[in-house]
Amino acid sequence: MSRHRDLLSFLVLAAVWGSAFMAINAGLAYFPPVLFAALRYDVAAVVMFGYGVFAVEDPIPRTRGEWSLVVIGAVLLISAYHVFLFMGESDPHVTSAIAAVLVSLSPVLTTVFARAFLPNERLTPLGTVGLLVGLFGVVVLTRPEPNNLMGEGTGAKLLVFLAAASFALGTVLTRTIDADLPIETMESWSMILGAGIMHTVAIARGESLADVAWVLEGILALSYLSIVASALGFLIYFDLLDRLGPIEINLVSYVAPVFAALSGWAFLSETITSTTVAGFLLIFSGFLLVKRNAVRAEIVRRRR
C-alpha cells in the first residue's frame, strides 16, 4: 500500500509541476512575465508560511546560517529561477515541453556546481561524458544558427537554461551552509523574500498592475500556479523527499516534461516536435550517466 501511495504521489507531483509550464504560458498572455512570477509567490508565500506555522515548532530563522539558507533560496531558487523562466516562456518559440525539458537539465548541472563548491564531490570521466551529452541536448533544443545566434527563440531558450542553472547553483550552495533549518521554514521565507526581489525587478523593468488583463483565464493560471503547483506541489515534494530520498525525487524532472507536453497540446494547441523529444532523451541520458552510481545503489536498495 505504501509503495502504491508513493507512486501515486510521485505521478501527481510530476503532473502538477509539468502542467505548471503550460499554466505559465497561458498566464503570460495576460500578465507581464516578472510581475506574474512575483504575484505567484505573493500567494504561495502566504500559504506556505501558514503551513509552516503549524508544521514546525519555530517558523522563524534565528541564526546567521539559517538566514543564509533563506537568502540563497530567495535569490537563486525563487527569484532568479522564476525571472529567467517566465521571461523565457514569454517567447512563443518556447513551448511548455521545451521549457520543461530545459529545466530537467538542472540535476545534471547540480553535479557540475557541486564539483566547484563541494570538494568531496568529483565528476568522473564517464560523468563528464554525461554532462556533455546533456549539454548537447540543450544545443539540439535551442538550435542556434551560426549567422543568427539569437534567432528563432534561441535567446529565450537560453534564459530558461539560465533558470535551470540558477536552481542547480542554489541547490548546491544550500549544502555548503551548516544550519539545521526545517525545509518548510526555508521555503516559506525564501518565497517571501523572493517575491519581494521579483517585485523590485518588475518595477525596474517598467511592469505594473496596469499592464495586467484581469480576465478569468489569467486568474485561473495564477491561482493554479500559486496554490496547486507551488503550495500543494511543495507539500507533496516534502513528503516524498522524506520517504524516497533525493535520487528518486530527482526523477520528477524527467517525468514532468511528459505532462508539460500533454497539457500544452491539450490546452494551448502546442505541437510536440521530434527535436523536443530528441533533446529530452539526450538530457535524460546525461542524467543517467552522471548519476549512474547513485541510481544503481537506489535500485539495489529498493530490491532489498
Side-chain angles (χ1 to χ4, degrees), residues 23 41 51 55-56 61-62 96 98 124 127 151 173 175 204 260 267 271 275:
Y41 277 96
Y51 172 77
V56 299
R62 300 294 179 180
S96 307
I98 289 176
T124 64
L173 290 181
R175 293 164 58 188
F267 292 96
T271 58
T275 302

Side-chain angles (χ1 to χ4, degrees), residues 66-294:
E66 290 176 348
W67 278 110
S68 296
L69 286 176
V70 169
V71 170
I72 291 171
V75 173
L76 292 173
L77 301 179
I78 301 297
S79 55
Y81 171 73
H82 289 91
V83 166
F84 288 134
L85 176 62
F86 278 59
M87 289 179 63
E89 282 204 63
S90 64
D91 189 293
H93 293 97
V94 181
T95 65
S96 307
I98 289 176
V101 170
L102 285 170
V103 168
S104 71
L105 185 66
S106 183
V108 179
L109 294 175
T110 298
T111 303
V112 178
F113 289 124
R115 185 183 184 189
F117 293 98
L118 301 173
N120 293 330
E121 305 216 13
R122 290 288 180 266
L123 201 60
T124 64
L126 192 55
T128 303
V129 172
L131 170 64
L132 295 176
V133 170
L135 291 177
F136 182 64
V138 175
V139 173
V140 169
L141 278 173
T142 56
R143 289 181 294 178
E145 299 176 8
N147 297 328
N148 186 13
L149 292 178
M150 302 304 286
E152 289 296 320
T154 300
K157 294 170 186 175
L158 290 178
L159 285 175
V160 180
F161 172 80
L162 287 176
S166 299
F167 196 88
L169 178 59
T171 300
V172 171
L173 290 181
T174 58
R175 293 164 58 188
T176 66
I177 305 297
D178 185 16
D180 187 18
L181 184 66
I183 192 68
E184 295 89 348
T185 302
M186 176 191 167
E187 286 291 345
S188 62
W189 281 96
S190 293
M191 287 178 180
I192 293 171
L193 295 182
I197 293 171
M198 288 188 286
H199 275 294
T200 302
V201 174
I203 293 172
R205 284 172 46 85
E207 299 179 3
S208 71
L209 291 175
D211 302 319
V212 177
W214 294 104
V215 300
L216 179 61
E217 290 83 355
I219 294 173
L220 287 175
L222 178 60
S223 301
Y224 184 83
L225 288 170
S226 303
I227 299 172
V228 181
S230 296
L232 177 62
F234 275 114
L235 291 179
I236 297 174
Y237 175 83
F238 297 147
D239 183 52
L240 286 177
L241 183 62
D242 287 337
R243 294 204 305 275
L244 301 183
I247 300 302
E248 284 196 54
I249 204 66
N250 265 341
L251 294 177
V252 169
S253 299
Y254 299 98
V255 181
V258 176
F259 290 98
L262 292 175
S263 60
W265 168 77
F267 292 96
L268 303 178
S269 301
E270 295 177 344
T271 58
I272 305 172
T273 67
S274 57
T275 302
T276 304
V277 175
F280 168 76
L281 292 176
L282 285 167
I283 291 174
F284 183 56
S285 298
F287 168 80
L288 292 178
L289 287 171
V290 170
K291 295 290 188 180
R292 65 195 182 282
N293 292 330

Side-chain angles (χ1 to χ4, degrees), residues 35-59:
L35 180 60
F36 187 23
L39 291 173
R40 169 186 179 176
Y41 277 96
D42 286 340
V43 179
V46 171
V47 176
M48 280 302 301
F49 184 77
Y51 172 77
V53 168
F54 292 99
V56 299
E57 293 183 3
D58 186 1

Side-chain angles (χ1 to χ4, degrees), residues 6-18 224 232 236 259:
D6 289 347
L7 177 60
L8 179 60
S9 297
F10 181 92
L11 292 175
V12 169
L13 180 61
V16 165
W17 280 0
Y224 184 83
L232 177 62
I236 297 174
F259 290 98

